[in-house]
Amino acid sequence: MRNTAKLTTAVLAAGALTLGLSACGSDKDSAGASDYSGPLVVAASPTPHAEILNFVKKNLAKKAGLDLEVKEFTDYITPNTATEDGSVDANYFQNQPYLDDFNQKRGTHIAPVVTVHLEPLGLYSHKVKKADALKSGATIAVPNDAVNEARALKLLATNGLITLKDGVGTEATPRDITKNPKKLQFKEVEAAQTARSLDDVDAAVINGNYAISSGIKPAKEALVLESAKNSPYGNFLAVKEGNEKDPRVKKLAKLLTSPEVKKFIEDKYQGSVIPSF
């Protein structure tokens, strides 16, 4: 944006202030405090992230002197790319294994600020009431991104449906299955489509936010549900590296881990979303 033409020193000097104000926040870490005077724009998944942020906006932000703007996204890619290019100031939708994989593969520079909650991953079905009732050869839909697929397979392994190779972690794929007594078949779909696929498969492993937004109650309806104990999958507020000290971000981080937000999460989601603070 700033290097599109060969300008004279005089023109550069005259235009420096204007350019600094119009650079979409790309140099906030080196600019003055005036760059932080506008609203904090946060990208978030609709449920529960945007709901939590909107609770903060409605009930806590004004008193804390925070002008908060929430932008909803239904995919797991745009919030990070928008944070990287400065279209938004922060995002709230992901966990550490997912972010590590995203940064590595896409060359982004997103960093976590504060962990807020966990959404347990669950196995759901419209055809059976218990996981062990799945028939031989049953088809299970799993998220197709590397981290959530591995997480889904780990959930199935933890509950005895399959066995994975020793030592596989956040990169596990169906190729790492060593025992599959029910001869389960796996259908890889976008995470956002797993809940919608329930009528087309025997069961589906669904991320908590997509389950809730589809009207599913994870704490009551999951055939098996991920344990919150020692989980690395807590969802956090994140920014582009260098913006962690943005005073608006600090205010939001404090509000997101307040007693009021903890109570809101516990009351609204009834165990389907678990506070991590």
Side-chain angles (χ1 to χ4, degrees):
M1 186 176 293
R2 296 187 183 183
N3 56 355
T4 56
K6 295 182 179 179
L7 302 176
T8 65
T9 302
V11 174
L12 282 170
L17 178 59
T18 301
L19 286 167
L21 293 174
S22 64
C24 299
S26 60
D27 290 326
K28 286 181 180 179
D29 53 326
S30 61
S34 60
D35 287 321
Y36 300 137
S37 60
L40 182 69
V41 183
V42 184
S45 296
T47 307
H49 309 80
E51 293 175 347
I52 295 170
L53 287 170
N54 283 321
F55 170 82
V56 170
K57 180 178 181 178
K58 181 179 179 180
N59 297 280
L60 306 174
K62 185 175 180 180
K63 185 177 180 180
L66 175 64
D67 186 0
L68 179 61
E69 182 179 336
V70 183
K71 286 193 173 183
E72 297 186 10
F73 294 86
T74 58
D75 69 286
Y76 282 168
I77 296 174
T78 312
N80 275 336
T81 57
T83 303
E84 179 75 12
D85 68 23
S87 301
V88 301
D89 300 298
N91 66 58
Y92 173 34
F93 77 101
Q94 66 193 316
N95 56 58
Q96 192 67 57
Y98 180 83
L99 176 59
D100 290 343
D101 181 73
F102 193 97
N103 278 337
Q104 180 181 2
K105 291 181 177 178
R106 294 179 178 264
T108 47
H109 308 83
I110 312 301
V113 176
V114 65
T115 301
V116 182
H117 75 267
L118 172 74
E119 303 160 27
L121 199 74
L123 176 68
Y124 304 88
S125 176
H126 286 169
K127 298 179 180 179
V128 298
K129 299 296 184 181
K130 294 182 179 180
D132 58 12
L134 287 167
K135 296 180 180 179
S136 179
T139 299
I140 299 180
V142 295
N144 66 359
D145 65 274
V147 171
N148 281 307
E149 181 174 53
R151 188 179 173 188
L153 294 175
K154 184 178 179 181
L155 173 69
L156 299 178
T158 299
N159 288 276
L161 292 171
I162 59 173
T163 301
L164 294 171
K165 292 179 184 176
D166 291 339
V168 294
T170 58
E171 297 181 354
T173 73
R175 294 188 297 274
D176 296 306
I177 297 173
T178 57
K179 294 181 181 180
N180 185 0
K182 286 182 176 288
K183 297 180 175 59
L184 300 175
Q185 304 295 313
F186 298 96
K187 181 178 181 180
E188 297 171 321
V189 300
E190 286 188 29
Q193 302 301 318
T194 50
R196 298 174 188 175
S197 72
L198 274 172
D199 289 331
D200 302 319
V201 295
D202 296 291
V205 179
I206 306 173
N207 289 76
N209 61 312
Y210 291 130
I212 296 167
S213 63
S214 298
I216 297 170
K217 297 180 179 179
K220 294 182 179 180
E221 298 179 38
L223 304 185
V224 296
L225 195 64
E226 194 175 44
S227 172
K229 186 176 181 180
N230 300 320
S231 174
Y233 298 111
N235 285 206
F236 47 67
L237 177 69
V239 297
K240 186 174 182 179
E241 290 177 3
N243 291 333
E244 296 92 336
K245 294 183 180 181
D246 181 336
R248 302 169 302 167
V249 171
K250 288 185 175 181
K251 286 180 181 178
L252 180 57
K254 184 175 182 179
L255 294 177
L256 283 172
T257 53
S258 65
E260 293 89 344
V261 168
K262 184 175 183 179
K263 185 177 187 302
F264 171 77
I265 292 173
E266 291 174 340
D267 290 349
K268 182 173 180 62
Y269 301 109
Q270 299 291 308
S272 296
V273 178
I274 304 168
S276 298
F277 57 93

